[in-house]
Amino acid sequence: MLQKSSPFMKQANLINGEWVGADSGKTIDVINPATGLKIGTVPNSGKAETRRAIDAAAEAFKTWRKTSVLERAKMMRKLHDAILDNQDALAELLTLEQGKSLFESRGEVGMSAAYILWYAEEARRTYGDIVPSPWADRRILVTKEPVGVIGAITPWNFPSSMLARKIGPALAAGCTAVVKPATQTPYSGLVWGALCEEAGIPKGVVNILTGSASEIGGEITSNPLVRKITFTGSTEIGKILIKQAADTVKKVSMELGGNAPFIVFDDADVDRAVQGAMIAKFRNSGQTCVCTNRFLVQSGIYDTFIEKFAAATQKLKVGDGLETGTEQGPLIDEKAVAKVEEFVADAKQKGGKVVTGGKRHALGGSFYEPTIISDAKEDMLFTKEEIFGPVAPVYKFETEQEAIDLANNTEFGLASYFYTRDLGRVFRVSEGLKYGMVGVNEGMITTVEAPFGGVKESGLGKEGGHQGIEDYLDTKYVCVGGLGL
């Protein structure tokens, strides 16, 4: 399997069009979470390498910003085609380092290509304005310009599509980029360098490096040449980056943690709700920022929902993502399993009942059984903390307002879901939920055409949709006077 993917497995940084190691020669091992075996290594880079990458991006920006939107769109279409032409090999590499099933990896790679195509098209729609002037001899022009060099830091759970959401609008707007993929899943990030080369994107426009998060991140946030930072990851790290970026007053886009509620009302189509619950909870083994963290089920159908949900959960095939038919792969590492075990132990101690699962899988390693816990209470750890694993706590509620209050009782506000057949309730609840995204009778709502992002401590800014390019643009007002009109 590794040999098939090896042409795409870049084990070096891409800086100013050259594939190079860390200055120190030090490397970081990359481990397959399904087997625990070493896949390869990547450079353990720091501040010096990051500074060179930023300098290269700043130099490339001088010419890249002057390319026409049609030129940029043409190269981005080539990038889109290069991704799809190699979809199977890229998906295999993604599964090898991240663990998710090949089916999910193929979907993620396809979504990555879709983001690039979307922003190739959006490049032509960064409209400005001609504003009616209050002065007879002046004209008011409002234009949009690329912000400059952007720093992008991406997570391990969606190492391809999270980067597509950042590289896509950056390239489209005329920005250049310095990218740090997660060291646990670096190859799906580094391969973007090879794909950009294939698409004819000039050297220095996209630079990718791996290594110390604190050193690379610290240089990106402190270097005045970087004008925008885009980060997907934990709220804890996001807050640090925001503070660091304040010293040079950079633009920031933050897609941070979540605590998604999934509400099922008495009048819901329970079978449809269960179908949505399986996607919203167990996709990527529960390791998604929009993954359901709390199931809130109205008392009238509470037992029925749990019974059907458990039956569906018990059918999930757990295994190595490269094996045919696998639906749930391993968690990313041992630390993730330990965290899940802590949540389950806490729930059991406080009266929660394990309906199915509840322990490490017989496969060993970082595999964990898909788990449902009934009788969940507000004092349990997962009420406030993000699970990031295949554990589904189910809470009982009585009234519509109680459900809304429970759902909103968190500092997070990324994604939320609810199921009902009452049209009035659709609007009351969707307007009452303090979340950036709401799925009504749907468990998976992410699409390139719509804005993705949260409110409260779940982040700032949007990715996707026409809104996704705005944070990569500066608005400029030009007043032209002395026209003698």
Side-chain angles (χ1 to χ4, degrees):
M1 283 294 187
L2 182 56
Q3 282 303 113
K4 268 179 73 179
S5 294
S6 58
F8 294 100
M9 203 176 80
K10 297 295 184 181
Q11 300 188 72
N13 296 324
L14 180 63
I15 300 176
N16 201 28
E18 295 183 4
W19 293 97
V20 295
D23 291 355
S24 65
K26 293 181 179 178
T27 59
I28 300 170
D29 291 345
V30 183
I31 305 298
N32 180 340
T35 64
L37 300 177
K38 176 180 169 181
I39 306 168
T41 64
V42 290
N44 189 1
S45 310
K47 287 182 177 294
E49 298 92 334
T50 309
R51 196 172 299 120
R52 287 199 299 277
I54 293 170
D55 289 342
E59 186 63 29
F61 178 65
K62 294 175 184 177
T63 52
W64 180 249
R65 67 174 302 179
K66 294 178 181 178
T67 57
S68 71
V69 292
L70 289 179
E71 286 179 84
R72 297 199 294 271
K74 185 177 180 180
M75 281 183 263
M76 290 180 70
R77 286 192 174 90
K78 287 182 179 178
L79 177 57
H80 162 269
D81 293 345
I83 296 168
L84 288 188
D85 287 346
N86 298 289
Q87 186 172 10
D88 288 339
L90 296 174
E92 187 181 283
L93 182 61
L94 201 165
T95 291
L96 196 67
E97 63 178 346
Q98 202 278 335
K100 66 180 66 176
S101 71
L102 272 174
F103 175 79
E104 287 193 39
S105 291
R106 287 191 87 260
E108 180 177 342
V109 172
M111 179 71 84
S112 299
Y115 273 110
I116 297 301
L117 182 59
W118 174 261
Y119 284 109
E121 296 164 344
E122 282 301 295
R124 303 177 68 181
R125 287 184 274 277
T126 55
Y127 305 133
D129 296 289
I130 297 178
V131 180
S133 173
W135 305 288
D137 63 342
R138 303 184 203 176
R139 294 294 178 265
I140 295 174
L141 314 178
V142 180
T143 60
K144 301 287 181 68
E145 297 181 349
V147 298
V149 177
I150 70 109
I153 302 172
T154 54
W156 52 260
N157 58 339
F158 289 91
S160 179
S161 62
M162 293 298 100
L163 196 46
R165 289 179 180 174
K166 303 176 191 307
I167 286 180
L171 293 176
C175 299
T176 55
V178 175
V179 174
K180 184 208 171 295
T183 51
Q184 288 165 302
T185 56
Y187 299 129
S188 292
L190 288 166
V191 75
W192 278 88
L195 293 166
C196 286
E197 287 179 327
E198 186 177 328
I201 293 168
K203 70 176 187 178
V205 172
V206 175
N207 305 272
I208 308 171
L209 65 162
T210 59
S212 166
S214 60
E215 289 198 29
I216 295 173
E219 181 63 31
I220 287 174
T221 54
S222 63
N223 195 308
L225 293 176
V226 177
R227 296 313 312 148
K228 172 189 164 57
I229 294 171
T230 171
F231 169 73
T232 299
S234 72
T235 296
E236 178 186 10
I237 300 300
K239 288 178 178 180
I240 293 171
L241 293 173
I242 292 169
K243 289 175 183 176
Q244 291 177 342
D247 287 342
T248 47
V249 195
K250 303 184 194 303
K251 279 194 172 190
V252 292
S253 295
M254 296 282 149
E255 198 267 278
L256 307 177
N259 187 351
F262 188 108
I263 308 169
V264 187
F265 290 100
D266 282 347
D267 65 331
D269 179 335
V270 176
D271 291 329
R272 184 178 180 87
V274 168
Q275 185 181 30
M278 297 299 293
I279 298 170
K281 177 69 253 184
F282 296 116
R283 185 167 64 102
N284 198 23
S285 303
Q287 300 172 120
T288 82
C289 52
V290 295
C291 176
T292 299
N293 213 61
R294 298 165 294 151
F295 286 90
L296 311 176
V297 182
Q298 202 160 12
S299 58
I301 57 163
Y302 186 84
D303 293 337
T304 301
F305 175 81
I306 288 179
E307 181 183 347
K308 292 188 174 186
F309 189 22
T313 300
Q314 288 162 0
K315 293 176 184 177
L316 281 175
K317 181 181 177 182
V318 179
D320 188 322
L322 294 174
E323 294 176 1
T324 303
T326 292
E327 295 171 291
Q328 180 182 298
L331 296 186
I332 190 65
D333 56 24
E334 176 64 28
K335 184 179 176 183
V337 181
K339 185 179 179 185
V340 167
E341 287 183 317
E342 181 186 358
F343 282 125
V344 173
D346 171 77
K348 288 165 69 175
Q349 182 187 352
K350 294 172 180 174
K353 297 175 183 174
V354 175
V355 178
T356 187
K359 61 184 184 299
R360 291 178 184 242
H361 197 276
L363 289 169
S366 60
F367 290 93
Y368 197 88
E369 293 180 345
T371 300
I372 297 174
I373 296 176
S374 66
D375 297 338
K377 302 290 188 296
E378 287 189 77
D379 63 346
M380 295 175 180
L381 286 177
F382 42 48
T383 301
K384 294 291 186 182
E385 297 181 30
E386 194 170 17
I387 299 170
F388 239 62
V391 176
V394 189
Y395 303 71
K396 185 185 292 186
F397 72 88
E398 298 294 337
T399 68
E400 181 181 301
Q401 190 57 51
E402 181 188 358
I404 294 172
D405 292 343
L406 285 169
N408 287 338
N409 187 23
T410 171
E411 67 267 30
F412 299 108
L414 187 56
S416 58
Y417 312 89
F418 70 93
Y419 281 70
T420 181
R421 286 188 266 206
D422 182 325
L423 184 59
R425 177 173 278 162
V426 167
F427 287 95
R428 289 193 304 272
V429 177
S430 61
E431 291 171 9
L433 290 171
K434 189 64 175 173
Y435 286 82
M437 298 178 285
V438 181
V440 184
N441 297 327
E442 292 292 343
M444 185 174 177
I445 59 175
T446 305
T447 180
V448 300
E449 294 84 1
F452 185 105
V455 296
K456 298 194 287 187
E457 292 191 20
S458 284
L460 303 163
K462 300 295 180 185
E463 296 185 320
H466 70 83
Q467 296 89 347
I469 200 170
E470 289 298 323
D471 282 339
Y472 296 81
L473 297 166
D474 286 330
T475 299
K476 177 178 282 185
Y477 156 47
V478 178
C479 178
V480 183
L483 296 178
L485 299 173

